Amino acid sequence: WFFSSYPQVELETVTVNVTIQDFVADVVSELFFRNTQQVSMETMFIFPVDSDTVLHTFYATMGDTRIEAMLWEKEEAQQLCKATSGMENLRYLQDQWDLWGRVFACFLGTLPPNREVAISLCYVQELPLQPDGAALFCWPQELFPQENYISRMSSEEETSENLHFNICLKSAHGVSHVDINSSYTPLQYTDPDQTSAEVSLKSSPWLKQNLNLLVYYRGPHILSAVVERRDPKALPGSLLGDPVVMVTLTPDIPEVVPNPSQLGEFLFLMDRSLFQDAQVPLDSAHPSICPQNTLLFLLKSLPLGCYFNIYSFGATFKAFYPQSVEYTQESMDNAVGHISSIRPDLGGCDLLGLLRCIYNTPLLRGRPRQLFIFIQRKISSEEEAVMTEVYRYRDNHRCFSFPTNRCDSFNLFQAMALETKGECVCIHSRMEMTSEAVKCLQRALQPMATGISLHWDLPSGLEVSMIRKAPEIIFQGHQSSIYAQIRGPAQDAEVDEGAVTLQYHVGSQSFDYTLRFSLSPSSDGRLPVHHMAMMHLLWKLAWEGTSRAKKDIQHNAVNSSLSLGVPSPFTSVVAVRMKQRDARQQDSLPPDSSMLFSQSCNLIPCQLLWLHGFKPGQFMSTKFWMVQKCQFFLEMLSHKAPDTEALTQISASCKVQNLAGSQKREQFQRVMVALQKANGSWALTTALASALGLSKADVEGQKPNEDVQPAAWATVLALVWLHQYKWKVSWSELLEAKACRWLQDQAEVQLDECLQAANSLLGCFAEPTVFRI
């Protein structure tokens, strides 16, 4: 979020008014920049617009000139853009800038020396839920005036004269408190029941930080509702002409034993170019990625009763199974056998086609779909199309993505994970890929709310029309916001209260919560909830429109989009430069392209763009950064120390020894994992004994007593062995859990006696807690 130009164009004054109601923020801001140089500067304003943000007002004022961004029907806007000079500036920005993602960009032209430009920016945004239950609002540090921090160190509470940042908070639950990483005034309640409050910043956040405002509400907020009055100037029955309600669902999800019928569908998407790295010998000096190991360990870690499939992709894609299959011993063995059949492919990368194929496959009822994507190729030419598909189905699945450090599209996969409430991890080595993937699988197996439904109780004569319906599944620690239009005249005007009931399941438990809300809320006429609802409605119309009804749908969508200034798939942005007197005349008129060609105004470059830039340093993990730092110090040492050759030889010798030991241990680990059955047990075989460093006769001879089943004894041995190396085997958690569950289901197994014998045989010191009883 920043004003882009040379650093000499300084942000002098900021005025921001934010109204936060539960989990929606309405932002009105005015930014004043000045060119402090003695030469003119070319300037451009750039503002990121994610899928939960609606930027509906933008204009810039320089002297008696005003530049305003307006929406036009898409085809008409494209014709207008053809007549706009300087569009190459935006095309250059799209490919050369170091940022990534969807942004609003407006080229403001030349700013003379010591001249000021005022930017007015208004937008609405859904706020994410934090783990502690707070709503998070962020404001970028680039849009704060630069402070003299050295002079403020002695007086940190000094009020900044060029910062006016006011926040109004509202919630029917009551506002508890706020937490801001900046100095601020005490929270002032403006209602006796503490349902509204105000707070202001005293200064910009300390040093170079974004403003993070955390808002805490009173009591549990499993359900919250924000009702917004209709626009009195709009036609009743239209979205603007009816009240709209935003309901935020944050179900309480306790830890439960998962029901096999509610376990998820796990899809593993493997970039075939990764298997080229897999051809690198294990004793190579360069760390390589080993997707075969990762797939093996993931398959072994899945729970009985879930569904799964594996896709390999490159220029084409191929599935192990025509459709997802139930996880059984047979299907697992079959999939493990197919891993070796994946061949390297360094050609194209049809991830978009694969995602469309998956999304077009119906969901398995009650089973959340979770994608694990492993990739190292760049797919920048399709990034916007990929994100459009992900956004369309974001309520139906979750993405865990694992781009390697060679992948130039890291930002795309980070966005996919954020959009679907998954996780993105940059991979640098073979063991890291396995470890991080299994950690994410462990998170994907956490309890979730399923069978979600909403039931409305409204006064007679009123009904709800769903704009964005409730998702089928909400994962632990997440929220979902739905929007509905309240239609019809109430038969009893004195009844001004409604209710909504949330019902859902977690495992075999059922839950329901009811929230009562007012149908006569106060209103300042800004309609933030209508803006968000309009955005979701427009995308819904774009996706659900049929060819027969497309023309009517598009006409209605264009009118709806223009009425609130909400961008849509049917409209595009056009910016106009005009004199202030003409701007005042146009304020009350609908957009008319004829006025764009008058002598008093002209078109300037302005668009919603998809940037393809990349900042690799920003996304490196701490671990990888430390490796680079150590390498840097070794390089510095090599220039200064006269006898570094000996040091290098010693280092190389240690590396070979460590690598040999690591390879041996890795081979044993792979064998141990490969021998585990789908139900979590191990069979007492020669291969198992060899992996334990023993003979089969030794293993059989140390069995505690004849009544202990061979599989139970073998499983205890394998579990103790895995637990012994747990500090080195970060991916063994799920394998151990499966083994423990299997042992607990076995009748008459003397676990204490077996543990004592296993410790003696393996030379371990495992405690009874290893069985998790």
Side-chain angles (χ1 to χ4, degrees):
W1 310 41
F2 59 96
F3 183 87
S4 169
S5 183
Y6 297 99
Q8 291 80 7
V9 177
E10 294 183 359
L11 178 56
E12 291 190 332
T13 306
V14 172
T15 300
V16 182
N17 290 293
V18 184
T19 300
I20 296 176
Q21 190 162 6
D22 288 331
F23 291 94
V24 63
D26 182 19
V27 183
V28 180
S29 60
E30 195 164 17
L31 317 169
F32 294 88
F33 297 87
R34 182 177 297 277
N35 180 8
T36 60
Q37 296 301 294
Q38 299 305 310
V39 295
S40 297
M41 294 288 185
E42 295 293 317
T43 56
M44 181 182 294
F45 187 84
I46 303 173
F47 183 84
V49 183
D50 62 23
S51 61
D52 290 325
T53 300
V54 176
L55 192 161
H56 57 84
T57 302
F58 171 86
Y59 58 87
T61 304
M62 291 184 285
D64 65 346
T65 300
R66 170 167 158 147
I67 295 172
E68 183 171 357
M70 302 178 180
L71 285 181
W72 262 264
E73 190 276 328
K74 197 161 194 173
E75 292 184 4
E76 187 177 19
Q78 289 171 350
Q79 293 300 317
L80 294 172
C81 287
K82 289 180 181 179
T84 304
S85 61
M87 291 298 290
E88 63 275 5
N89 290 312
L90 296 187
R91 284 189 284 270
Y92 176 81
L93 168 72
Q94 189 170 17
D95 294 324
Q96 301 299 324
W97 205 254
D98 58 351
L99 293 182
W100 180 94
R102 189 167 175 259
V103 300
F104 167 84
C106 186
F107 184 73
L108 302 179
T110 303
L111 185 61
N114 201 35
R115 291 288 295 276
E116 187 180 69
V117 56
I119 302 288
S120 293
L121 185 73
C122 303
Y123 65 92
V124 179
Q125 188 176 58
E126 281 187 19
L127 301 183
L129 174 74
Q130 299 305 287
D132 60 358
L136 172 64
F137 173 78
C138 292
W139 180 262
Q141 55 92 5
E142 290 89 350
L143 293 186
F144 276 112
Q146 296 301 306
E147 300 282 354
N148 187 344
Y149 292 106
I150 302 300
S151 66
R152 285 184 51 219
M153 290 181 69
S154 59
S155 179
E156 191 171 334
E157 297 302 316
E158 180 183 350
T159 301
S160 176
E161 296 180 357
N162 55 358
L163 174 66
H164 310 278
F165 207 112
N166 304 307
I167 303 133
C168 177
L169 308 171
K170 299 178 182 179
S171 176
H173 293 281
V175 178
S176 173
H177 63 283
V178 297
D179 188 6
I180 310 176
N181 62 334
S182 176
S183 59
Y184 58 95
T185 62
L187 190 67
Q188 297 291 326
Y189 289 104
T190 55
D191 271 342
D193 58 2
Q194 300 186 345
T195 56
S196 65
E198 292 180 351
V199 66
S200 299
L201 297 190
K202 288 185 175 182
S203 62
S204 304
W206 180 248
L207 298 179
K208 289 285 187 178
Q209 292 185 14
N210 294 338
L211 171 73
N212 290 324
L213 165 65
L214 293 168
V215 186
Y216 296 85
Y217 302 112
R218 297 190 183 280
H221 44 273
I222 293 169
L223 270 178
S224 64
V226 178
V227 179
E228 192 169 81
R229 289 183 174 180
R230 61 180 293 268
D231 183 350
K233 300 187 296 293
L235 183 68
S238 66
L239 181 62
L240 283 177
D242 284 337
V244 168
V245 58
M246 170 187 175
V247 179
T248 303
L249 316 177
T250 313
D252 181 24
I253 303 176
E255 292 289 341
V256 297
V257 176
N259 186 332
S261 65
Q262 293 179 325
L263 289 170
E265 177 190 21
F266 300 92
L267 305 180
F268 304 109
L269 284 58
M270 307 297 299
D271 179 355
R272 286 198 287 263
S273 71
L274 289 167
F275 290 77
Q276 182 72 19
D277 281 347
Q279 309 304 313
V280 177
L282 286 175
D283 58 355
S284 169
H286 301 286
S288 60
I289 303 299
C290 192
Q292 292 98 326
N293 275 0
T294 300
L295 268 180
L296 172 66
F297 298 160
L298 284 173
L299 284 171
K300 291 289 182 173
S301 299
L302 290 174
L304 283 173
C306 75
Y307 278 68
F308 77 101
N309 205 347
I310 298 173
Y311 297 84
S312 64
F313 65 92
T316 60
F317 56 87
K318 184 178 181 181
F320 276 27
Y321 301 101
Q323 58 186 14
S324 295
V325 296
E326 185 178 356
Y327 181 77
T328 62
Q329 185 67 43
E330 181 181 1
S331 62
M332 184 199 71
D333 288 341
N334 184 272
V336 170
H338 274 76
I339 293 176
S340 60
S341 68
I342 301 178
R343 293 290 175 260
D345 176 2
L346 301 180
C349 183
D350 188 20
L351 177 62
L352 178 61
L354 174 54
L355 289 176
R356 284 174 173 166
C357 175
I358 291 172
Y359 292 155
N360 289 332
T361 303
L363 290 169
L364 299 172
R365 183 171 179 80
R367 297 183 182 272
R369 175 172 288 170
Q370 309 202 62
L371 275 57
F372 287 67
I373 305 174
F374 302 86
I375 191 166
Q376 69 177 358
R377 278 184 275 202
K378 181 178 177 66
I379 59 168
S380 61
S381 60
E382 298 176 337
E383 286 181 353
E384 186 170 6
V386 167
M387 282 309 302
T388 298
E389 291 295 312
V390 171
Y391 176 76
R392 180 177 183 178
Y393 295 98
R394 65 175 180 167
D395 291 331
N396 297 334
H397 76 298
R398 185 159 59 166
C399 288
F400 294 91
S401 49
F402 307 90
T404 72
N405 57 342
R406 302 180 189 177
C407 181
D408 292 332
S409 297
F410 177 88
N411 297 278
L412 169 66
F413 295 101
Q414 185 182 53
M416 292 171 65
L418 289 172
E419 194 66 58
T420 59
K421 299 181 174 65
E423 191 168 335
C424 176
V425 183
C426 189
I427 301 300
H428 305 283
S429 69
R430 62 167 63 222
M431 291 308 295
E432 188 178 41
M433 173 179 274
T434 301
S435 173
E436 296 297 339
V438 174
K439 285 179 187 176
C440 287
L441 177 60
Q442 191 169 9
R443 179 181 165 193
L445 290 169
Q446 290 176 342
M448 62 200 73
T450 62
I452 297 168
S453 62
L454 289 178
H455 303 276
W456 301 85
D457 181 13
L458 298 178
S460 180
L462 299 181
E463 62 179 7
V464 295
S465 175
M466 299 302 297
I467 296 171
R468 186 186 186 198
K469 63 180 183 180
E472 294 186 6
I473 295 159
I474 298 180
F475 298 101
Q476 192 174 50
H478 294 152
Q479 68 181 24
S480 181
S481 294
I482 67 99
Y483 295 85
Q485 185 175 350
I486 302 177
R487 296 178 177 272
Q491 295 183 5
D492 187 350
E494 294 184 359
V495 180
D496 64 349
E497 191 177 61
V500 60
T501 299
L502 167 67
Q503 295 181 338
Y504 64 93
H505 304 282
V506 179
S508 58
Q509 301 180 35
S510 297
F511 299 86
D512 64 87
Y513 296 90
T514 298
L515 174 71
R516 305 202 68 82
F517 54 86
S518 171
L519 292 171
S520 301
S522 59
S523 175
D524 57 9
R526 292 192 47 79
L527 305 175
V529 176
H530 278 79
H531 279 87
M532 295 303 305
M534 179 69 76
M535 180 190 71
H536 290 292
L537 176 62
L538 292 171
W539 280 101
K540 179 181 177 183
L541 291 175
W543 292 327
E544 296 180 355
T546 62
S547 56
R548 183 179 60 184
K550 187 174 181 180
K551 191 171 182 179
D552 291 339
I553 289 175
Q554 182 167 335
H555 177 74
N556 293 334
V558 168
N559 290 338
S560 299
S561 180
L562 298 180
S563 64
L564 272 180
V566 176
S568 75
F570 310 104
T571 54
S572 291
V573 179
V574 173
V576 182
R577 180 189 286 116
M578 65 185 81
K579 299 297 181 182
Q580 282 280 47
R581 61 178 184 274
D582 298 308
R584 287 190 292 269
Q585 294 173 3
Q586 293 293 338
D587 281 345
S588 60
L589 299 177
D592 180 2
S593 60
S594 63
M595 70 102 174
L596 298 182
F597 301 100
S598 66
Q599 295 181 354
S600 59
C601 66
N602 61 338
L603 303 175
I604 62 172
C606 178
Q607 278 189 347
L608 285 168
L609 294 175
W610 191 268
L611 303 186
H612 302 306
F614 182 53
K615 282 186 177 177
Q618 184 176 350
F619 302 105
M620 290 178 179
S621 67
T622 303
K623 187 184 298 182
F624 187 63
W625 179 82
M626 287 299 294
V627 170
Q628 287 190 318
K629 188 173 182 180
C630 292
Q631 289 174 343
F632 170 76
F633 287 140
L634 285 175
E635 290 172 5
M636 295 295 292
L637 181 64
S638 68
H639 290 294
K640 296 179 180 179
D643 56 346
T644 53
E645 184 176 352
L647 178 64
T648 303
Q649 292 176 350
I650 294 173
S651 176
S653 175
C654 293
K655 183 176 181 180
V656 170
Q657 293 177 15
N658 291 337
L659 189 60
S662 174
Q663 289 176 31
K664 188 173 183 180
R665 186 168 59 250
E666 186 178 333
Q667 290 171 357
F668 285 146
Q669 292 166 357
R670 182 183 172 93
V671 170
M672 186 68 70
V673 172
L675 292 174
Q676 188 178 27
K677 295 184 177 297
N679 61 10
S681 69
W682 277 266
L684 186 55
T685 63
T686 302
L688 174 67
S690 178
L692 295 171
L694 303 168
S695 69
K696 186 177 180 183
D698 290 337
V699 172
E700 290 177 334
Q702 293 296 318
K703 192 170 66 167
N705 60 65
E706 293 299 322
D707 294 334
V708 176
Q709 295 297 318
W713 172 232
T715 301
V716 170
L717 285 172
L719 181 61
V720 170
W721 187 91
L722 278 177
H723 195 73
Q724 178 187 13
Y725 290 103
K726 190 169 185 177
W727 64 280
K728 296 180 180 178
V729 188
S730 57
W731 38 259
S732 67
E733 182 71 21
L734 291 176
L735 303 180
E736 291 183 37
K738 287 177 70 172
C740 289
R741 285 194 297 270
W742 184 85
L743 285 171
Q744 292 167 18
D745 290 340
Q746 307 309 303
E748 300 179 359
V749 176
Q750 301 297 321
L751 292 179
D752 291 342
E753 189 178 357
C754 288
L755 178 61
Q756 184 177 357
N759 277 331
S760 175
L761 181 60
L762 298 175
C764 299
F765 301 95
E767 298 290 336
T769 52
V770 70
F771 299 118
R772 307 184 183 193
I773 297 177

